[in-house]
Amino acid sequence: MAQFELSRRSMLVGTALGGVALASGAARAQESRGVYARAIVVDTLGGPGGSKGAGESESPVLTEKHLADTKASGLTAVHVTVSDVGNKHDAFENTIGNIAWFEREIDAHPDIFLRVRRGPDFKAAKESGRCGVVYGFQDLTPLNSSLDMVDVFYGLGVRVMQLAYNRRNIAGDGCLEPANGGLSLFGREAVAKLNQMKILIDGSHGGVRLINEEIALSKAPMAVTHSGCRAINDVPRNIPDATMRALAKKGGVLGVFFMPFLRAKGQPRAEDLIRHIEHALKVCGEDHVALGTDGSISGENIDDPKFQESHRNFFEERQKLGISAPGEAADVYNVIPEYNEPRRFEKLAFDLSKRGHSDRVIEKVLGANFARLCGEVWG
């Protein structure tokens, strides 16, 4: 009888504690929603619509689902790639076409989108409930070797420029180049020109030496909008701690991506992403970490055979172009399954809160850091 009573009491205590845990979890979820609702939320590289690779042609129009997902996402802004990549001969024409596509979509949906070209535009987007759109390059090839073209693209709204994409180009060595040659003379001139034009320099896809030289030469803080931590997974698309520290020391921001490079093999999961975020916070500090999914706002139906075939074709095309990086695979998708939906950042904020991160830190990572950086560079 005594043993039965003890077991019964244990069950009652366990039930009570479980109730407390559930209540605590519900309270934490409610608070996370509050943090998300008031935060400036920025995807430092992504975009509306279905999946597409950098430089790949956009779909003819955004669907109603794409628009609804963008509205529902709660994003304040997203940095989109308008440039072509991969040293293509028609990069200029393709880039102009991409900008024209975005311009048409923004004009067609003024209740959904807002052009972001100055720091205060982030606040305007937040207050109006729209998703700001930041135009960026992932390669300087569209300049056709002329820095005068920077003025042209600035006039078309481009506010972020990355110098090299994985391979070597006229500006310097991407992360796949074994020579790791850093910036060329043209690349050094490009850094000065981008500083002059108040365009944010993006070190993503660059070789380590190239990024280090950009940081050292740039008179303005810069970003690495979508990368990971090489200390956790040693692949070319991730950057070393020393580079992360140098970036942060000059006021820059690292956007942690939602990509295969987060782990050595297989589909990356939530724990992989959080491991990189927490390492970046430790190395860079809370003022210098952001989120850059390198994916679509709507998410992907990764169980759909059509999507799987499309991804396989995309991977094989990148291999042919020589721009596929170690860690990419035909059966590893550019998503984190736990966050494969429009409000992924809200779910991530909840998970970070559960791990003990403060609301202050979470709001900074969600977008305040990147918005601050852009305001400092653009004015």
Side-chain angles (χ1 to χ4, degrees), residues 174-191:
C175 65
L176 299 186
E177 291 292 339
N180 192 27
L183 290 168
S184 66
L185 291 176
F186 179 87
R188 291 172 176 269
E189 293 166 357
V191 169

Side-chain angles (χ1 to χ4, degrees), residues 10-32:
S10 298
M11 288 175 62
L12 290 172
V13 170
T15 301
L17 289 175
V20 171
L22 287 172
S24 176
R28 189 183 294 114
Q30 182 65 32
E31 177 58 24
S32 295

Side-chain angles (χ1 to χ4, degrees), residues 309 311-321 330:
E309 181 182 3
H311 176 77
R312 187 180 305 107
N313 293 337
F314 170 65
F315 168 70
E316 291 173 354
E317 179 64 20
R318 287 176 61 81
Q319 283 190 310
K320 291 177 184 177
L321 292 172

Side-chain angles (χ1 to χ4, degrees), residues 217-228:
L217 285 172
S218 180
K219 294 180 179 178
M222 54 177 276
V224 177
T225 62
H226 54 298
S227 189

Side-chain angles (χ1 to χ4, degrees), residues 40-56:
I40 297 287
V41 182
V42 183
D43 189 340
T44 61
L45 193 81
S51 60
K52 80 175 192 69
E56 191 179 11

Side-chain angles (χ1 to χ4, degrees), residues 134-165:
V134 180
Y135 291 171
F137 276 24
Q138 287 201 61
D139 194 333
L140 290 191
T141 304
L143 300 182
N144 283 342
S145 304
S146 172
L147 290 177
D148 290 339
M149 295 305 299
V150 174
D151 300 74
V152 173
F153 284 110
Y154 182 89
L156 294 173
V158 177
R159 293 295 182 270
V160 183
M161 285 194 178
Q162 179 181 297
L163 273 67
Y165 186 95

